[in-house]
Amino acid sequence: MIYNQNDIENLETRFRANLINSLGGFKSIVLIGTKSLQGNENLGLFSSLFHIGANPAYCGFIVRPNEEKQNTLGNILNTGQFTINHVLPDFYKQAHQCSAKYNEGISEFEKTGLTPQYIDLIEAPFVEESNVKFACELAQKTNIELNGTTLIIGKIIKIIAPDSCILTDGFVDLEAACTITCSGLDSYHRTNKIGRLSYAKVDREIKEI
Amino acid sequence: MIYNQNDIENLETRFRANLINSLGGFKSIVLIGTKSLQGNENLGLFSSLFHIGANPAYCGFIVRPNEEKQNTLGNILNTGQFTINHVLPDFYKQAHQCSAKYNEGISEFEKTGLTPQYIDLIEAPFVEESNVKFACELAQKTNIELNGTTLIIGKIIKIIAPDSCILTDGFVDLEAACTITCSGLDSYHRTNKIGRLSYAKVDREIKEI
């Protein structure tokens, strides 16, 4: 099937949302934990997390102008902190439920049964059930005026991962950590490793490592 | 294992690169096809593609200031067009090889054996071996001054996907399309569906769809 620009613009809204959200391929799916200045905990589901740099360690994600995402955004802007928590098969339904439009002041932790966890001096809550998780401080907020979304860039200031999942070269075995992936707006997937490949050079054949 | 901010800053460079690149979870892995003003084809491997909006249909990705990514960036800025092509298990090694630092003017298509494909009036090459692929026109370039990277936002103007993979609600079954995912800098994975979930609402239990 080929969709041209006119076709895309004329698609039924929900069909287009499913189609366009599928095009990005398999995506990261994480729960972002924040706390309001009043002390209310919030947990939001995001599928747009991406790597920006390793040194300094930066990541970014997009906040859509939906009501339920504005609590996450507001808390980050007010407190400068957030946590990012990988999702496991054991609690993917609870994670999905965190995308519902709860009013400000309602904790998704309470509503879903996920457990807030506080580690050292980080004021935003982690998800205790997550294996791989990290804390960020707000590094930059950029408005994307094309469509009213917001790019949040975080500096990674604390990382938690099971010892057994961190290989000697720093690679985290996300399958061993039970991290899952998602596609489209609502589909969740486990993974099976095909292979790790050596660093690519122009004059050398790559091999499995 | 817990890494604090000082630990992260003091890690050995390669260890840190592997660790930080793993934290984003499973990621989209795509080949971006471009053509220079002189007509040279280029194919670059990117793992930072993310969804920005469905209407208008926008996606974004980060270009690191590495030599081999600058050809992709230059071509996009000069021609305003690029294609995004999903990766299959059949050619994941060729896709990985596209991350080697080939000089400008050297075609990764020729070096890897992947096949350039031209569809309708799109001037940038698609990857014939890909099942799900789409073309974008440059919508916005934003410099991320924190670390010298560049955010490119594309407007999706043409979509190609196998009929059999597009469900009646617009969701693309990426497993049926054999799209793969990646983690870290160099690990590739197939997926196994756990489930699709209904739209989450505050007052209704979610169910599998």
Side-chain angles (χ1 to χ4, degrees):
Chain A
M1 176 70 82
I2 295 189
Y3 297 95
N4 291 308
Q5 190 162 1
N6 277 344
D7 303 327
I8 297 169
E9 288 168 3
N10 292 321
L11 288 172
E12 185 271 320
T13 303
R14 198 77 198 153
F15 188 98
R16 181 175 46 228
N18 281 318
L19 178 68
I20 301 298
N21 273 279
S22 298
L23 294 181
F26 290 101
K27 299 180 280 194
S28 172
I29 184 80
V30 292
L31 288 164
I32 297 189
T34 56
K35 191 180 250 188
S36 73
L37 289 177
Q38 293 74 35
N40 293 320
E41 294 165 340
N42 189 283
L43 197 57
L45 186 66
F46 288 82
S47 65
S48 61
L49 182 68
F50 56 96
H51 174 80
I52 298 186
N55 187 26
Y58 288 123
C59 65
F61 65 98
I62 298 290
V63 188
R64 319 257 349 252
N66 309 348
E67 288 166 54
E68 82 276 14
K69 303 299 188 193
Q70 293 304 301
N71 295 337
T72 297
L73 180 59
N75 290 346
I76 291 174
L77 297 180
N78 286 332
T79 65
Q81 256 189 15
F82 54 102
T83 71
I84 297 188
N85 307 270
H86 287 200
V87 175
L88 276 65
D90 291 349
F91 63 87
Y92 84 104
K93 289 185 180 174
Q94 287 103 309
H96 188 74
Q97 185 61 32
C98 290
S99 62
K101 294 184 177 68
Y102 291 107
N103 287 333
E104 194 180 339
I106 303 287
S107 166
E108 288 83 1
F109 285 104
E110 273 182 35
K111 289 294 178 184
T112 63
L114 291 170
T115 313
Q117 179 187 31
Y118 289 91
I119 299 176
D120 299 339
L121 297 175
I122 304 295
E123 293 187 11
F126 290 90
V127 176
E128 186 171 303
E129 289 82 355
S130 284
N131 285 330
V132 177
K133 45 199 163 190
F134 53 104
C136 293
E137 61 182 25
L138 176 63
Q140 185 176 301
K141 166 183 177 276
T142 301
N143 296 325
I144 297 180
E145 286 163 16
L146 283 171
N147 69 345
T149 55
T150 306
L151 166 63
I152 291 292
I153 299 179
K155 183 173 182 186
I156 299 168
I157 57 171
K158 187 183 287 285
I159 299 167
I160 295 110
D163 290 10
S164 60
C165 300
I166 304 174
L167 307 196
T168 53
D169 66 354
F171 175 81
V172 183
D173 184 340
L174 296 180
E175 285 181 7
C178 301
T179 296
I180 65 171
T181 178
C182 76
S183 69
L185 285 163
D186 49 26
S187 188
Y188 297 87
H189 310 257
R190 285 189 183 83
T191 64
N192 286 316
K193 184 170 157 183
I194 301 169
R196 272 189 85 187
L197 298 178
S198 59
Y199 190 76
K201 294 202 162 195
V202 296
D203 54 357
R204 191 178 66 181
E205 198 158 339
I206 50 173
K207 57 181 188 219
E208 296 199 27
I209 58 176
Chain B
M1 177 73 79
I2 296 188
Y3 298 95
N4 290 308
Q5 189 161 2
N6 278 343
D7 304 327
I8 297 169
E9 288 168 3
N10 292 320
L11 288 171
E12 185 271 320
T13 304
R14 200 74 199 155
F15 188 98
R16 180 174 48 228
N18 281 318
L19 178 69
I20 302 298
N21 272 278
S22 299
L23 294 181
F26 290 101
K27 298 181 280 194
S28 171
I29 183 79
V30 293
L31 288 164
I32 298 190
T34 57
K35 191 181 251 188
S36 73
L37 289 178
Q38 293 74 35
N40 294 320
E41 293 165 339
N42 189 282
L43 197 56
L45 186 67
F46 289 82
S47 64
S48 60
L49 182 68
F50 56 94
H51 174 81
I52 298 186
N55 187 27
Y58 288 123
C59 65
F61 65 98
I62 297 291
V63 188
R64 317 263 342 255
N66 307 349
E67 289 166 52
E68 82 275 13
K69 304 299 188 193
Q70 293 304 302
N71 295 335
T72 298
L73 180 60
N75 291 346
I76 292 173
L77 297 180
N78 286 331
T79 66
Q81 254 189 16
F82 55 101
T83 70
I84 296 187
N85 306 270
H86 287 199
V87 175
L88 276 64
D90 291 349
F91 63 88
Y92 85 104
K93 288 185 181 175
Q94 288 104 307
H96 188 74
Q97 184 61 31
C98 291
S99 62
K101 294 184 176 70
Y102 291 106
N103 288 332
E104 194 179 339
I106 305 286
S107 164
E108 288 83 1
F109 284 106
E110 272 181 34
K111 290 293 177 183
T112 62
L114 292 169
T115 312
Q117 179 186 32
Y118 289 91
I119 299 176
D120 300 339
L121 297 175
I122 304 296
E123 293 186 11
F126 289 90
V127 176
E128 187 171 301
E129 289 82 356
S130 284
N131 285 331
V132 176
K133 45 199 162 190
F134 53 104
C136 294
E137 61 182 25
L138 175 63
Q140 184 176 302
K141 166 183 177 278
T142 302
N143 296 324
I144 298 180
E145 286 161 18
L146 283 171
N147 70 344
T149 55
T150 306
L151 166 62
I152 292 291
I153 299 179
K155 182 172 182 186
I156 299 169
I157 57 172
K158 186 181 287 285
I159 299 167
I160 295 109
D163 290 10
S164 60
C165 300
I166 305 174
L167 306 195
T168 52
D169 65 356
F171 175 80
V172 183
D173 183 340
L174 296 180
E175 285 181 7
C178 299
T179 297
I180 65 172
T181 178
C182 75
S183 68
L185 284 164
D186 49 26
S187 189
Y188 298 88
H189 310 256
R190 286 189 183 82
T191 63
N192 286 316
K193 184 171 157 182
I194 301 169
R196 274 188 85 187
L197 298 178
S198 59
Y199 190 77
K201 295 203 162 195
V202 296
D203 54 358
R204 192 177 67 179
E205 197 158 341
I206 50 172
K207 56 180 188 217
E208 295 201 27
I209 58 175

